[in-house]
Amino acid sequence: MRPTTKDLAKAAGVSRATVDRVLNGRPGVHEKTVQAVQAAIDRLGFERNLSAANLAKSRVYRFEFLLPRDGGEFLAELDAQIAEHGRLLRADSIEIRTRRVLERNPHQVVATLANLSREEVDGVAIMSSESPQVRDATLRLIERGINVVQFISGQHGVRPFDFVGIDNYAAGATAARLLGAFCKQPAGRVMVIAEAMTSLDSAERRLGFDQTLGLRFPGLSALPTLETHGNHTRAAAIVAAAYRNFPDIVGVYVMSSEAFVPLEAVLRHGGRRARTIVAHERTARTVELLKSEMIAALIVQNPGHVVRSAVRLLKARCDGRTPLASQEDIRIEILLKENLALPDKGTA
Amino acid sequence: MRPTTKDLAKAAGVSRATVDRVLNGRPGVHEKTVQAVQAAIDRLGFERNLSAANLAKSRVYRFEFLLPRDGGEFLAELDAQIAEHGRLLRADSIEIRTRRVLERNPHQVVATLANLSREEVDGVAIMSSESPQVRDATLRLIERGINVVQFISGQHGVRPFDFVGIDNYAAGATAARLLGAFCKQPAGRVMVIAEAMTSLDSAERRLGFDQTLGLRFPGLSALPTLETHGNHTRAAAIVAAAYRNFPDIVGVYVMSSEAFVPLEAVLRHGGRRARTIVAHERTARTVELLKSEMIAALIVQNPGHVVRSAVRLLKARCDGRTPLASQEDIRIEILLKENLALPDKGTA
DNA sequence: AGATATCTGAGGCACGTGCCTCAGATTTTT
DNA sequence: AAAAATCTGAGGCACGTGCCTCAGATATCT
């Protein structure tokens, strides 16, 4: 049996009350006594029974996911995963809500963050493009004792925030490597297209892409990034123009997580020439295109994994534990037609 | 606040004792009453407080991982992950042990399984190559009320076992696709090499590999599988012979999860000609080779994910819940030099 | 010295569920 | 109608921890 606080008390030669004060960092215990208790903890290998502790505290972990209001299929998938896990995690006294904010307006993100209080939430996962205002608001959250993870958007491992998501520089590099490998022609131009280039994420992907393309495939050169801004008409126009101006386009990199509009335009105006396409994220649409071999490869971050990872991080921080870095590493997954998991072969 | 059994009792117009009987499936409750309680459960959205339940039962989930005794780096990595998660999960009243059995001898696996009793273990994750004897012993485990998942080895979604691991057919197909893409030459032979071909897993990988290679790269043809059986000398000999006999070898697929011996032989005797190599699993050795570009791509199942997934499945079965299939899907990950996560950029 | 501040112990209630006993109510069987 | 079987209610203890109060002990200051 695992030792309890009672055992601890006996081993340390103190009362349960004192053990309790030490365990929960309450004041009024002599330094010497604290150390005696600590020694006993180490000696017995005592670990708090979290079930009992949560029960006693009637503790509920309240986490919020802050997502942009506008978005396409990838965002919808994320939202679905969050809801799904919310349902599952209720059994573990974890309550998860999502909140959509108008992301175009940093001020609104900031206002939302400023309104969060320790009374109503224990941790927040923030998915928002970088801005100094948001960063400051986030810092203030931490000061108020609310735990934070940067979700999907942001930078890997920049304190004091935990980050959950892929390394976008590496993702761009991976895209270049795949595009080069799957593209038969040794020379030509590569179209790079995105919904928008505003965020740091896009910049990083582009950087990694260019770097690797130049290094490994000197024959291929990437065009400046086209931006579609969710507008089909505009997308069609700029893509058509690009194909007209550059007859030697041999590959396309759809850089943004939302790929619908760019893909539509490329498929419609690239015709047979748009053969080697690399895009991001798994959605109904991209999977369909992968199956029909219109897309060569997808670069994916698993929505289920990122959600679980974010929750684990928030919970670990709430409990004052140090999260296990190795466990929370989000892999850059590569999806081909071949390793696309078939729909539900079992485990029902 | 979440409704409690007390609320349930009041809502159903019965006593807490009756609610309890219904919740825990104890006999002696009239059908009509059962339904009344069920109705109240649905109406209130009642969910058992697992913390409280576990506390009350002093319940500890005892799971065992059965691994082969002999193995190389991949097995060591798995073992390490299991140990690591064992430490973390103690906080959730989950105790995990590993047990190593001499896998070459199915009889010993069977004997080990036969000795497991409900008194000492709640669930077992079995990693063992297929055999009718093991299968029977596993079925008897289930009859005794011990939950089982097939771990790494086995078949996807064959009842009545849950399976955790990748789809090996798809893994082989993926390997072929990558080999073909990264290999510059349109024609030539491909060496396929493995530690051993005994298991169903290897057979499936080979099948998927051949299928996709033939379909997508008609110029490439795969040689019969070479087997190294952990023997460096033997490996060197057969690989050298293959390179001698077939001057047009342009790629190598190292099919087994343990890649050390085959890789050594290929690198030593293939020289410059062994340029496009695809292998399995992430180990110190394979990562090093990926970095130095001796290997083109790795096909990987994440040890941390499979371990977590196995534990989630076992726990879900213990609690009588139906696991969420979508969550337990183990992806076939592809590792290139580009998407190799750098060692620990943050989150410490 | 007395007054004050600091530390410690004893005890108890609460959290929500599991599991037990025992008595009483209702129905079914003999 | 009596006996037996079936169902239900009331109550209570236990699990391990958090948090509270109050009294007593010891150290420190005036």
Side-chain angles (χ1 to χ4, degrees):
Chain A
M1 271 294 124
R2 278 167 52 167
T4 71
T5 49
K6 222 177 193 169
D7 303 325
L8 249 191
K10 204 178 333 165
V14 299
S15 73
R16 213 176 70 77
T18 300
V19 166
D20 185 69
R21 291 188 255 256
V22 173
L23 280 179
N24 296 290
R26 269 186 280 278
V29 183
H30 196 91
E31 180 56 26
K32 214 165 202 162
T33 316
V34 172
Q35 294 190 350
V37 174
Q38 291 289 5
I41 289 175
D42 294 340
R43 189 148 37 86
L44 298 192
F46 171 84
E47 279 178 78
R48 211 194 219 84
N49 178 330
L50 264 191
S51 285
N54 289 341
L55 177 60
K57 280 190 292 199
S58 310
R59 158 136 214 179
V60 179
Y61 298 87
R62 293 149 310 166
F63 299 144
E64 295 213 356
F65 279 77
L66 244 72
L67 306 183
R69 171 159 302 152
D70 301 316
E73 296 179 295
F74 178 59
L75 201 62
E77 176 62 24
L78 267 182
D79 212 1
Q81 284 288 340
I82 293 170
E84 178 69 50
H85 280 85
R87 245 165 291 147
L88 287 180
L89 290 171
R90 280 183 51 191
D92 299 329
S93 303
I94 297 177
E95 274 178 12
I96 294 178
R97 293 179 39 192
T98 60
R99 200 181 279 233
R100 309 292 285 259
V101 293
L102 203 58
E103 201 212 10
R104 310 281 288 280
N105 185 349
H107 179 67
Q108 191 171 350
V109 178
V110 170
T112 306
L113 292 183
N115 272 335
L116 291 178
S117 112
R118 201 51 236 280
E119 311 307 314
E120 45 172 339
V121 63
D122 300 299
V124 189
I126 301 174
M127 175 177 176
S128 167
S129 44
E130 304 277 312
S131 88
Q133 297 94 321
V134 172
R135 194 186 156 80
D136 285 351
T138 308
L139 281 171
R140 259 171 271 136
L141 270 187
I142 293 183
E143 283 164 11
R144 262 178 283 152
I146 297 179
N147 297 96
V148 173
V149 300
Q150 282 191 94
F151 190 61
I152 311 283
S153 288
Q155 268 177 300
H156 222 116
V158 177
R159 311 298 168 77
F161 309 135
D162 288 320
F163 172 76
V164 171
I166 57 175
D167 176 341
N168 282 304
Y169 180 88
T174 305
R177 179 81 189 277
L178 291 171
L179 196 54
F182 286 116
C183 170
K184 297 288 178 299
Q185 296 91 332
R189 292 182 197 266
V190 177
M191 182 190 296
V192 180
I193 183 167
E195 278 278 354
M197 274 296 286
T198 49
S199 65
L200 182 61
D201 309 352
S202 309
E204 288 183 341
R205 286 184 186 175
R206 176 81 220 211
L207 217 64
F209 186 80
D210 289 348
Q211 180 97 14
T212 293
L213 200 72
L215 207 74
R216 291 202 181 257
F217 309 100
L220 301 179
S221 69
L223 296 171
T225 310
L226 304 180
E227 300 180 47
T228 56
H229 295 294
N231 182 331
H232 271 92
T233 322
R234 176 195 158 88
I238 58 179
V239 168
Y243 275 108
R244 222 178 309 118
N245 294 339
F246 303 100
D248 58 341
I249 289 179
V250 295
V252 179
Y253 174 32
V254 181
M255 205 173 58
S256 51
S257 295
E258 298 296 347
F260 186 70
V261 174
L263 277 175
E264 285 298 316
V266 166
L267 293 176
R268 194 133 48 95
H269 294 91
R272 184 154 307 159
R273 285 171 50 204
R275 282 295 287 282
T276 306
I277 303 178
V278 173
H280 278 272
E281 307 310 347
R282 178 186 191 129
T283 67
R285 180 85 180 122
T286 57
V287 163
E288 180 198 329
L289 291 173
L290 196 62
K291 274 189 193 159
S292 61
E293 307 197 15
M294 303 298 294
I295 290 181
L298 282 176
I299 294 175
V300 164
Q301 48 191 328
N302 190 309
H305 288 167
V306 291
V307 171
R308 279 195 292 275
S309 184
V311 173
R312 270 198 303 264
L313 280 171
L314 288 174
K315 182 156 186 295
R317 294 294 182 197
C318 281
D319 294 340
R321 286 178 293 134
T322 301
L324 192 64
S326 66
Q327 185 179 346
E328 307 306 346
D329 208 10
I330 303 300
R331 295 292 163 80
I332 298 173
E333 294 183 25
I334 299 170
L335 239 50
L336 309 177
K337 189 184 184 187
E338 279 74 16
N339 70 334
L340 203 53
L342 297 182
D344 201 11
K345 290 212 288 174
T347 330
Chain B
M1 271 293 127
R2 277 167 52 166
T4 71
T5 49
K6 222 178 196 166
D7 303 325
L8 250 192
K10 202 177 335 165
V14 300
S15 73
R16 212 176 70 77
T18 299
V19 165
D20 184 68
R21 290 175 186 121
V22 173
L23 280 179
N24 296 290
R26 267 187 282 278
V29 183
H30 195 93
E31 180 56 27
K32 213 163 203 163
T33 315
V34 172
Q35 294 190 351
V37 174
Q38 290 289 5
I41 289 176
D42 294 341
R43 189 147 38 86
L44 298 192
F46 171 84
E47 280 178 78
R48 213 195 218 85
N49 179 331
L50 263 191
S51 284
N54 288 340
L55 177 60
K57 279 190 293 198
S58 310
R59 158 137 215 179
V60 179
Y61 299 87
R62 293 149 311 166
F63 299 143
E64 296 212 0
F65 280 76
L66 244 71
L67 306 183
R69 172 159 301 152
D70 301 316
E73 296 180 294
F74 178 58
L75 201 62
E77 176 63 24
L78 266 183
D79 212 0
Q81 284 288 340
I82 293 170
E84 179 68 50
H85 280 85
R87 245 166 289 149
L88 287 179
L89 290 171
R90 279 182 51 190
D92 299 328
S93 303
I94 297 177
E95 274 178 13
I96 294 178
R97 294 178 39 192
T98 61
R99 199 182 278 233
R100 309 293 284 259
V101 293
L102 203 57
E103 203 211 8
R104 311 278 288 279
N105 185 349
H107 180 66
Q108 191 172 349
V109 178
V110 170
T112 306
L113 292 183
N115 272 335
L116 291 178
S117 112
R118 200 52 236 280
E119 309 308 313
E120 45 173 338
V121 63
D122 301 298
V124 188
I126 302 173
M127 175 176 176
S128 167
S129 46
E130 303 276 313
S131 88
Q133 296 95 322
V134 172
R135 195 186 155 79
D136 285 351
T138 308
L139 282 171
R140 258 171 272 136
L141 270 187
I142 293 183
E143 282 164 13
R144 261 179 284 153
I146 297 179
N147 297 96
V148 173
V149 300
Q150 282 190 94
F151 190 60
I152 310 283
S153 287
Q155 267 176 302
H156 223 117
V158 177
R159 309 300 166 76
F161 309 136
D162 288 321
F163 172 76
V164 171
I166 58 176
D167 176 339
N168 282 304
Y169 180 88
T174 305
R177 180 81 189 278
L178 291 171
L179 197 54
F182 286 117
C183 171
K184 297 288 177 296
Q185 297 90 333
R189 291 182 198 267
V190 177
M191 182 191 296
V192 180
I193 184 167
E195 279 278 354
M197 274 295 287
T198 50
S199 66
L200 182 61
D201 308 352
S202 309
E204 287 182 344
R205 286 184 186 176
R206 176 80 219 210
L207 216 64
F209 185 80
D210 289 346
Q211 180 96 14
T212 293
L213 200 72
L215 206 75
R216 290 201 182 258
F217 308 100
L220 301 180
S221 70
L223 296 171
T225 310
L226 303 180
E227 300 180 49
T228 56
H229 295 293
N231 182 331
H232 271 91
T233 323
R234 176 195 158 90
I238 58 178
V239 168
Y243 274 108
R244 223 179 306 120
N245 294 340
F246 304 100
D248 58 343
I249 289 179
V250 296
V252 178
Y253 174 33
V254 181
M255 205 174 57
S256 51
S257 295
E258 298 296 348
F260 185 71
V261 174
L263 277 174
E264 285 298 314
V266 166
L267 292 176
R268 195 133 48 96
H269 294 92
R272 182 154 310 157
R273 285 172 48 204
R275 281 295 286 283
T276 307
I277 303 178
V278 173
H280 278 271
E281 306 310 346
R282 178 186 191 129
T283 67
R285 180 90 181 115
T286 56
V287 164
E288 180 197 330
L289 290 173
L290 196 62
K291 274 189 193 158
S292 61
E293 306 197 15
M294 301 299 292
I295 290 181
L298 281 177
I299 294 175
V300 165
Q301 48 190 329
N302 190 308
H305 287 168
V306 290
V307 171
R308 279 195 291 275
S309 183
V311 172
R312 270 197 303 264
L313 280 171
L314 287 174
K315 183 158 186 295
R317 295 293 182 197
C318 281
D319 293 340
R321 286 178 294 133
T322 300
L324 191 64
S326 66
Q327 185 179 347
E328 307 307 347
D329 209 11
I330 304 300
R331 295 291 163 81
I332 298 173
E333 294 183 26
I334 299 169
L335 239 49
L336 310 178
K337 188 185 183 187
E338 280 75 16
N339 70 335
L340 203 53
L342 297 181
D344 200 9
K345 288 212 290 177
T347 330

